[in-house]
Amino acid sequence: MPFGLRMKNCLFILLGSSIFSFGIVHFNIQNNLAEGGFTGITLLLYFIFDIKPSITNLLLNIPIFIIGWRLLGRKAFLYTILGTISVSVFLEVFYRFQFSIPLSDDLFLAALFAGAFIGVGLGIIFRYGGTTGGVDIIARLANKYSGWSMGRTMFLFDAVVILLSLVTYLNYREAMYTLVAVFVGARVIDFMQEGAYAAKGAMIISPAQNEIADRITLEMDRGVTVLTGTGHYSKESRSVLYCVVGRNEIVRLKNIITSIDPHAFVSVTDVHDVLGEGFTLDENKRPLE
């Protein structure tokens, strides 16, 4: 594709945009629920002035496009344009051809569906390098330069927009369920961002470190790094093994360790993002599809 864009990324950005837009129309608009960020502003303008979200979504994002071009680079900027335009297109399509999902008597369920659809849609878009403009770009920049999770940044901005919605067209009941939807959406986004290559990291201290490392390498096809540590009390130097495995492999790893040294000291931690051979690269250092 031109400009170095990948067809796979473009298709998944379109898929995420369709899921996101479906949730906005069929769960937020139909149940009078607000939303955060620029999407929340478009809904606010829709409920007060009856301006279509598909139109305001484009108009509000023009200044953000300029920021995206300068700070995100050409490729990310083009993915952002794709995400923003496709969201507006799908919002218009689903708005014109929507069907009724009767959840007005159960706003909690409506909020859960709204958060799930929005979170899954945005999570797919973010994972494949795109955004839908607005706060998505701000959240992406905060994640890139300050390490803040994208879900957290969006949740804080969303709270401000929801407060504005509360003083204009929402009642307190709808505002509370909107917060539920926003929270669920933020957690789903973080899960999809951090859970793609989530794994377990194990630090192993044992006199039989060589045998344990050999078994892990041969039987699990996982790399092992040998670190040097010193016991504070004993002042003795010893080797510390560090290994990262998939979540579904941790039981197998523990079984290998205990079969060799039942008294080995093992510390297992969550690893939220793994890059490199065996996870994002194959044995030839090529990206895994």
Side-chain angles (χ1 to χ4, degrees):
M1 295 188 67
F3 307 110
L5 302 182
R6 299 182 63 188
M7 177 64 73
K8 177 181 177 180
N9 290 43
C10 293
L11 292 176
F12 273 99
I13 289 174
L14 292 175
L15 173 64
S17 298
S18 66
I19 295 173
F20 171 82
S21 301
F22 182 91
I24 290 294
V25 171
H26 290 88
F27 299 110
N28 291 77
I29 292 180
Q30 287 190 10
N31 296 283
N32 205 52
L33 296 178
E35 178 56 35
F38 276 32
T39 304
I41 297 175
T42 63
L43 291 178
L44 189 150
L45 295 175
Y46 168 76
F47 284 116
I48 296 178
F49 302 108
D50 199 28
I51 303 175
K52 287 186 177 181
S54 58
I55 297 175
T56 52
N57 180 65
L58 282 178
L59 295 179
L60 290 174
N61 277 292
I62 291 176
I64 302 301
F65 283 161
I66 299 174
I67 298 175
W69 170 259
R70 293 181 178 275
L71 297 179
L72 294 180
R74 184 178 65 177
K75 184 182 294 187
F77 173 70
L78 293 175
Y79 282 139
T80 295
I81 290 180
L82 174 63
T84 304
I85 293 177
S86 61
V87 163
S88 288
V89 171
F90 282 118
L91 281 173
E92 182 66 21
V93 170
F94 289 129
Y95 183 80
R96 289 191 178 189
F97 303 100
Q98 62 182 295
F99 53 90
S100 176
I101 301 179
L103 292 175
S104 57
D105 294 333
D106 192 348
L107 283 184
F108 182 72
L109 188 58
L112 292 181
F113 274 115
F117 271 79
I118 291 171
V120 171
L122 290 180
I124 292 174
I125 294 171
F126 292 156
R127 182 173 171 182
Y128 287 91
T131 74
T132 58
V135 184
D136 301 352
I137 292 181
I138 298 174
R140 192 177 184 86
L141 293 175
N143 178 261
K144 180 177 181 180
Y145 293 109
S146 68
W148 274 42
S149 74
M150 299 178 73
R152 180 189 300 178
T153 304
M154 295 176 66
F155 184 78
L156 292 176
F157 194 96
D158 291 347
V160 176
V161 177
I162 293 171
L163 182 61
L164 292 175
S165 301
L166 175 62
V167 299
T168 52
Y169 72 93
L170 286 182
N171 59 42
Y172 288 102
R173 181 169 177 264
E174 293 166 343
M176 291 303 298
Y177 282 115
T178 293
L179 288 176
V180 172
V182 170
F183 179 78
V184 171
R187 300 312 303 160
V188 172
I189 290 171
D190 281 346
F191 173 79
M192 296 194 68
Q193 286 292 103
E194 299 175 353
Y197 297 110
K200 295 286 186 178
M203 301 193 74
I204 308 158
I205 301 175
S206 169
Q209 71 268 6
N210 290 331
E211 185 178 355
I212 293 174
D214 289 342
R215 289 274 301 276
I216 294 173
T217 302
L218 292 174
E219 296 183 20
M220 300 187 66
D221 195 26
R222 291 296 185 190
V224 180
T225 300
V226 181
L227 310 173
T228 300
T230 302
H232 174 72
Y233 179 77
S234 65
K235 308 300 181 185
E236 296 180 357
S237 296
R238 61 182 65 187
S239 296
V240 179
L241 304 180
Y242 180 70
C243 180
V244 177
V245 299
R247 284 179 174 175
N248 61 329
E249 298 176 309
I250 190 62
V251 173
R252 186 180 177 189
L253 176 66
K254 291 179 180 179
N255 289 338
I256 290 176
I257 297 171
T258 54
S259 68
I260 299 172
D261 182 5
H263 305 291
F265 179 85
V266 182
S267 173
V268 179
T269 58
D270 287 323
V271 179
H272 293 292
D273 204 5
V274 187
L275 306 174
E277 185 176 342
F279 291 92
T280 59
L281 301 175
D282 62 18
E283 63 275 10
N284 298 316
K285 309 300 182 183
R286 294 176 300 190
L288 291 172
E289 294 295 337

